Amino acid sequence: MTSLEFHNLSSYVIDRRRDFHKYPEKGWHEYRTTAIIFWELSHLGYSIKWLDDFIPRDSVLGRDLSDSDEFAEKERALREGADREVLRSFHLTGIIAEITAPRQGGTRGFRFDIDCVEVDESEDPERLPARAGFRSVHRGLMHACGHDGHAALGLAMAKYVSEHLSELSGKYVFIFQPAEEGCRGGEAVSRIPLIGKINDFVSFHLGMNVPSGLAALNPTNFLASTKFNVAVHGKAAHAGIEPWKGINALDCAAKIAVKLFQIPKAISRTARLNIGKFRSDNGRNVVADLVTMQCETRGIDSAENNAVFSEASDVIHDEAEGSGCRLELRIVGKSEEIVNSPELVNLLRSACIKTGHGFLETAPFNASEDSSLIEKVIRENGGRTLHFILGNNTCSGHHTPDFDLDEASLVRDIQLLAEVIRSI
C-alpha cells in the first residue's frame, strides 16, 4: 500500500466513522446507514443484494416494526442525507455486496455490524465527538459499542478490494449486518443461501478491553445466549372493592423474577440470566392485568445456555399456570459460541507480523456475538471462519455514555486488514 493510498483510506475511514457516529440507528432501523453504504458500494462496482431478497419480514428475530414506523424512520433518514430512491428499494435493513476478481479463486466473506446502542451520549464538551461536531443527534441512541468503526473499516476494506481487484482472485462478499445488539440480525443473515458457499469468513470487534495497536488472534469466552420477551396476562379488578375478582399479573411476574435470578447459581459460575426490563402500566388501585419482561440467558457454550433457558422456561410456565395467568414467551435473539479455524488464526498472525501490528494470542471476549450463527453455517458447509478482536483504547466501557474510539488506532488497523485481504 503506497503512502498516498494509506493517507486516502485513513481520511475515508475517519470521515465515514464520524458520519455514522453522528446519525446512529438502532437494530432493524438502520435505514440511513444502509442507504449510505449502498451508495458507497454501488459506486465501487459492487453488486448489491438486499435482505428482502432472501428473508421473509415476519421471520426476523426481535423486530416489531409497522409500516407506519418504517415510513417515519425513512423520512427521518431522508432528512439526514439518505437518497430517496435508495430508501424505496428496501424494507429490511442491511446489505450483501459482491464483487468478483478476474482470476479464479474461492469465496471470501467479511461481516460488519451497523446498529447502535440505546444509550444517551455524554454531553461533555471536552469529548472528541462534541468538539469535532459529530456527537449523536438522536436522543437515546449512540454508537457506544464501536459499530460505527466496524462499518467504516468495512467500507475501507471494500474500497481496497475494488481498487486492487486485478491483483486478487475469487469472489469477495461484504456483509453489513443489521441488529447485532440483542443478537437479532445474525439469524436472518445466516439463512441467506450465499452464506453456505463462503469458503473463508472473517469478522472482528473493536475494543473489548484489548489495547490499541494489538489484535487478539483467537479470543475465548464467546457466550451463547438467548434473548426472550415475556408477557404475563392476568385480569384487572378494583384493588379495594373486589380484588378477588382479578388475577394479579404483577404478583405472578414478581414471583417469576425472584425464581429466575436463582437459576444461574444452581447451574455454574459461568451461567448468566438477567431481566433488563420489568414493566406494568396499571394504576396503584388496579389489580394488574399485564406485566412485560425483557430477559436473557447466557452460557459458556450452547449446552450451558440451553440449560439455563430451559430451566427459566419451566419456571415461567409453571408459575403462570399456578397463578391462573396467561403467558406469552417469545425468543427475540440468539447466539452461539465461536470456534475459530486454526488456519485463519495462523494467517492473521502472519499478517500482524508482516505489517508490524502487535498481537496477543488470545483474550477473553466475555460477551455474545451473533456472527456465530453465520459462522456455524459456513463451518457446516466446509468453510473456515475467524472472529478476532482489534484492540482500541476506548474512552469508556462498551455501552456507556462516554464510549468513544481511538481514531488513530482505526487508521493503523487499515494496513493489517489490507494484508488479511491479500493473504486470505
Side-chain angles (χ1 to χ4, degrees), residues 103-372:
R103 290 183 292 163
Q104 289 188 340
T107 299
R108 290 89 176 199
F110 304 90
R111 173 269 197 180
F112 314 91
D113 38 17
I114 62 174
D115 58 327
C116 74
V117 184
E118 295 184 49
V119 168
D120 262 329
E121 184 161 9
S122 169
E123 297 182 3
D124 181 355
E126 296 304 313
R127 293 178 65 252
L128 177 62
R131 286 190 285 111
F134 64 94
R135 181 183 175 274
S136 171
V137 299
H138 296 153
R139 175 68 64 182
L141 298 177
M142 174 192 173
H143 272 294
C145 200
H147 297 186
D148 50 342
H150 297 175
L153 285 170
L155 286 176
M157 292 174 71
K159 186 175 175 64
Y160 182 85
V161 167
S162 174
E163 294 172 351
H164 291 264
L165 201 60
S166 62
E167 307 163 20
L168 303 172
S169 62
K171 178 182 288 187
Y172 293 82
V173 179
F174 286 81
I175 302 165
F176 290 85
Q177 182 204 304
E180 188 281 329
E181 298 296 345
C183 297
R184 296 170 290 156
E187 169 72 9
V189 173
S190 73
R191 298 187 189 185
I192 297 173
L194 171 65
I195 297 300
K197 300 176 183 179
I198 293 174
N199 304 117
D200 292 308
F201 177 86
V202 175
S203 185
F204 60 81
H205 203 297
L206 290 163
M208 307 307 292
N209 297 319
V210 174
S212 292
L214 296 176
L217 308 180
N218 192 21
T220 59
N221 292 11
F222 288 94
L223 303 180
S225 183
T226 302
K227 320 294 185 183
F228 60 100
N229 293 343
V230 178
V232 180
H233 296 268
K235 182 181 178 182
H238 193 291
I241 298 174
E242 44 190 10
W244 56 86
K245 288 189 176 181
I247 300 175
N248 198 318
L250 188 55
D251 177 60
C252 175
K255 292 174 181 175
I256 288 172
V258 170
K259 291 183 178 180
L260 288 183
F261 281 122
Q262 302 305 311
I263 291 173
K265 301 173 186 177
I267 293 179
S268 79
R269 294 180 62 184
T270 53
R272 301 283 188 269
L273 186 149
N274 190 54
I275 303 171
K277 185 174 287 188
F278 186 105
R279 178 170 180 169
S280 174
D281 290 328
N282 294 100
R284 73 180 73 237
N285 57 353
V286 180
V287 173
D289 63 348
L290 174 63
V291 175
T292 58
M293 295 186 281
Q294 294 183 7
C295 315
E296 68 169 18
T297 61
R298 300 189 199 233
I300 198 66
D301 55 28
S302 295
E304 183 172 88
N305 176 63
N306 291 341
V308 182
F309 178 73
S310 178
E311 182 67 23
S313 180
D314 288 345
V315 165
I316 293 166
H317 283 92
D318 289 348
E319 195 62 47
E321 183 177 353
S323 300
C325 290
R326 182 170 63 86
L327 185 73
E328 295 176 70
L329 190 156
R330 183 164 62 99
I331 294 175
V332 296
K334 56 185 176 179
S335 69
E336 298 191 5
E337 65 272 30
I338 290 179
V339 180
N340 285 330
S341 300
E343 302 91 342
L344 294 189
V345 174
N346 291 337
L347 181 150
L348 177 60
R349 183 186 298 107
S350 297
C352 287
I353 293 171
K354 187 170 183 178
T355 59
H357 200 289
F359 63 89
L360 306 171
E361 286 297 329
T362 190
F365 195 79
N366 290 337
S368 301
E369 174 55 76
D370 71 354
S371 73
S372 57

Side-chain angles (χ1 to χ4, degrees), residues 1-58:
M1 183 184 298
T2 66
S3 57
L4 177 60
E5 183 178 18
F6 177 69
H7 172 77
N8 289 339
L9 277 178
S10 299
S11 298
Y12 182 74
V13 163
I14 299 303
D15 288 345
R16 287 289 95 219
R17 180 259 162 165
R18 291 186 176 188
D19 179 71
F20 290 142
H21 189 93
K22 186 173 183 177
Y23 301 103
E25 298 172 298
K26 64 183 179 180
W28 295 125
H29 295 70
E30 310 97 328
Y31 292 107
R32 181 189 184 276
T33 306
T34 296
I36 297 297
I37 292 171
F38 170 87
W39 187 263
E40 295 286 328
L41 294 176
S42 60
H43 283 78
L44 291 173
Y46 282 82
S47 171
I48 308 296
K49 291 180 170 59
W50 305 108
L51 266 63
D52 291 301
D53 297 336
F54 308 99
I55 308 298
R57 295 184 72 191
D58 60 358

